[in-house]
Amino acid sequence: MSYLLSILILLPIISGILIYLIPKRASLWVCIAAQIFQLGVSVYLMSLVKEGAIYFNIGRWIPPVGISLYADTLSMSFVMLSSFLFMMFVIFNSSRHYVDRMFYMLYLSLQGMIAGIFLMDDLFSIFIIVEVSTIVVSLLIMYKRDSRSMYDGLIYLLINVFSMTFYLFGIVVLYKITGTFSLRLNAEIVKQMTDARVLYFPYALIITSVSLKAALMPLFSWLPKAHGTPSAPSVVSAVLSGLYVKGGVYLFFRITNAFSVIDTTQFFFVSGVITAFIGLILALSQTDIKLILSYSTVSQLGIIMLALNLGDSEAVYGGFYHMVSHALFKAALFLCAGIIIEKYETRNINEIRGVFRTMPLVSIACIGAILAVTGAPFFNGATSKYMISHSTNSIFTEALLIFLNFGTVLYFVKFASIFPGKRREGISKVPINREIVLVVLGAFCLAGGIFGTQLIKILYGVDVSIEIGEYFKKSLIYFGTLGASLLLFRLKVLHNKFFDRLRTFDATFNTIALSLPLFFAAVLAYLIIS
Amino acid sequence: MGIINNFNIGEIAAIIIFFIGVYGIIARRNIVKSVISIGIMETAIILYFVSSNKGYEKAPIAADTVNSAHIADPMPQALMITAIVIGVGITAIALTMFINLYHKYGTTNWKKARNLRDKEL
């Protein structure tokens, strides 16, 4: 049954092309039918991989010559998540005016390529898929064709292509050493190598490029431009922030695992912490709803990186679960922000008031997602953050996580200031399909918290126990930080010159590009010195 | 040995050309020159791949693991064709986007385009 793996990649692309060809009336139903089929296949394959990882050699050529697809519980959990979210987004978008057949084609191709990033075992195929998906994403970002998104799309495209040339160079140098592109075979060959130093140069090239995809400090400047560009459709922002950027983190995990002889956990732990801090400070300074959410993504990615490099298996699974949780709540938040921006016709957080009275159901889903991202008890964010902080024994890391969560609560308190206030008149009703999608996503955030341990058992096959006493203690800390943040917000700490200056800062293309070779040099220097 | 894995002359040339491309991206404010620099970097990678393991004893383009002296390793040839195609696609898309941007802003300079974009806020 392993050929089904290729269906996961091909079906969305083929259905996208089909939708481009058939009449518009039928296209929505074809799209939804394909999505349901895709979800069914991924759930079925998930049940298969629980017994063991499966391979599919394309054209029956086995590696090192052929290309193979590889699926284990980790990759399938992300494919399943991506199928579910894409189904939600298609339903959400079914009544949009700008959604034409071209949009569907690009959007569904992106779905196939995201599945490909998670399933491919071949480093060169990953290069092709990431490169093509970069083109598709930049076309989706500037789909409405105003000049700001044109600039943002061009920056996104060129920075990502620039980083992918580093990746290509890395795998080409690696091929000379190991003689294969297969990640799995590379891992085996690398293990038997006596001198790992020949791998430093290709490893540094590859990991630099992947770190840019995962938006590590200082390589994240493209992310808010791409995810937060004002005119990008909200479903595009939701896919980019919820799913696409996870592909980079996933590749990071796979590649560092394959090169197990090279130990860079300390380096990436520190850069994860710095990323989380910088993302947090920039999120605090913004007044644009979408930019707050984008910088929040940067900060959360930093936390995920920190978890993956703590060197503890529970923290690693906590990091994975945080990726799943983050996909759910950030998707919900971006969709809510899209609706709010459309109804209020502004993105400035100081001009939007009274959302709760105007759109009660949307607000409830949005508040649920905010509680989840801040790690409120009984929501999925709490479970994943519990797992990350539970695994560490050092006081320093624990204090760091509490501080990072405090910052998260603070900027979401600022975000939540849009809810209270008088009802805004003259705002049309939100379509029912969009309300349903938002409520389902909000419900999943809650279910992911209440049934957290069972879900982790299903997804990754590991047992985690949550101690009631410690969970209660963490809940108390949460309410403490919430109270402190409300107080700080009341005192108007966020209105100061430092944040105003930070908000207007905008790096040019050359500055953003400079960060990439600098990061490469830093990784290489770290590898040589350590 | 060390981190430098006895590169041959073609590979050293490729690495130098690659970093010339990197310099072009960092130091030039012209958008078209940025696109050209990416093209230079891709060419350097292709040069590296096709000149790897070139020597008097071996057929060109063979990895250490392919232990045949008389036939070339077909993998790099097939893959570099693909990489060239991808590179052409990227260049075409980037230039199309640039032309659109030029129609809106009327500049080829990254910094001026950035300033014009920030004014729109």
Side-chain angles (χ1 to χ4, degrees), chain A residues 509-510, chain B residues 23-31 33-34 37 110:
Chain A
F509 174 77
N510 302 87
Chain B
Y23 170 79
I25 296 248
I26 298 166
R28 295 287 133 195
R29 291 240 170 91
N30 190 315
I31 299 177
K33 283 184 184 165
S34 298
S37 301
W110 279 113

Side-chain angles (χ1 to χ4, degrees), chain A residues 214-227:
Chain A
L216 270 182
M217 173 73 200
L219 308 169
F220 66 83
S221 323
W222 58 272
L223 189 140
K225 285 194 168 52
H227 296 197

Side-chain angles (χ1 to χ4, degrees), chain A residues 34-75:
Chain A
Q35 291 299 322
I36 291 171
F37 188 67
Q38 172 95 353
L39 188 61
V41 170
S42 52
V43 170
Y44 173 68
L45 280 171
M46 185 73 201
S47 69
L48 278 189
V49 295
K50 291 203 86 60
E51 273 107 59
I54 48 177
Y55 304 102
F56 175 62
N57 298 320
I58 295 170
R60 291 191 193 152
W61 287 92
I62 51 167
V65 179
I67 294 166
S68 73
L69 300 176
Y70 168 82
D72 57 10
T73 47
L74 178 62
S75 51

Side-chain angles (χ1 to χ4, degrees), chain A residues 147-148 175 181 506 510, chain B residues 28 73 79 114 117 120-121:
Chain A
S147 44
R148 258 194 87 173
Y175 182 80
F181 284 119
D506 187 12
N510 302 87
Chain B
R28 295 287 133 195
D73 183 0
L79 296 185
R114 194 269 315 259
R117 171 193 180 268
E120 280 179 21
L121 287 175

Side-chain angles (χ1 to χ4, degrees), chain A residues 64 124 128 131 142 145 147-148 151-154 165 172 175-176 179 181 197 200 506 509-510, chain B residues 3 11 25-26 28 41 45 48-49 53 65 73 75 79 82 86 97 104 110 114 117-118 120-121:
Chain A
F124 191 78
I128 292 179
E131 200 84 322
M142 44 186 235
R145 293 190 188 186
S147 44
R148 258 194 87 173
Y151 176 84
D152 292 342
L154 192 59
T165 52
V172 160
Y175 182 80
K176 191 190 166 190
F181 284 119
R197 280 184 301 172
Y200 286 175
D506 187 12
F509 174 77
N510 302 87
Chain B
I3 55 160
E11 290 165 348
I25 296 248
I26 298 166
R28 295 287 133 195
M41 288 166 75
I45 295 166
Y48 184 95
F49 212 7
N53 270 27
T65 46
D73 183 0
M75 190 84 134
L79 296 185
T82 320
I86 296 275
M97 285 166 79
K104 294 240 157 84
W110 279 113
R114 194 269 315 259
R117 171 193 180 268
D118 286 352
E120 280 179 21
L121 287 175

